[in-house]
Amino acid sequence: MKHSILPTLLLTALACIHGVAHAEKADRAKPMNIEADALRHDELKQTSVFTGRVVMTKGSIILRGARLDVRQDAEGYQYGVVTAEAGKRAFFRQKRDTVPGAPDEFIEGESEVIEYDGKADNVRFITRAELRRYRGAVLSDEITGAVIVYNNLTDVFTVDGQRKPSTSTAGDTPAPGSRVRAVLAPKDPPPGAAAPAAPSSAPALRPSNTLGGGAQ
């Protein structure tokens, strides 16, 4: 299988990467379940801080990290910020809806900080971010960058390779090692699709003994 490598500073990639799967829309309405070693809750501010081997589940969504800050707004929407241990990355996983008969698909992501916005229904991966898509147990697509935003409602991924200021007149330049990297598998053709037609052969050329091809 041939993969393409796309180095770029800003990539808005893949509104539903292969056009056949979507994030589990039912996850948005599911309750948030959290396990941790310790909890500090502020009823007045409607905030909770979970620390120590934190695991959050919300439908098919799984979030893991060292610390989770959760708040709830007046409308009941939940927001969470997962922070990893020093030198490590927090983890995110979500199942995607697929057509009947197709293999299960999952989105996995890792970064030092993961932000979940329940109202906008998106996930933001910050610092050393990586996002992967699996079809069954097979890795299909992989994207890395400084910041990755995954929108559950639109299935659009926005990836930023991050730039650093430059004193040169040429403007900002990419920070070393901060460019976006993407490996995208080719889209599978629909069942029964005909193979692309082979290009027709070029017409045969006839030799000529004069420069103009004819008498002057």
Side-chain angles (χ1 to χ4, degrees), residues 124-141:
R124 184 181 178 89
F125 303 86
I126 304 171
T127 308
R128 293 198 298 139
E130 180 178 344
L131 201 64
R132 303 177 295 271
R133 186 175 72 93
Y134 288 89
R135 303 183 69 191
V138 179
L139 176 62
S140 180
D141 302 299

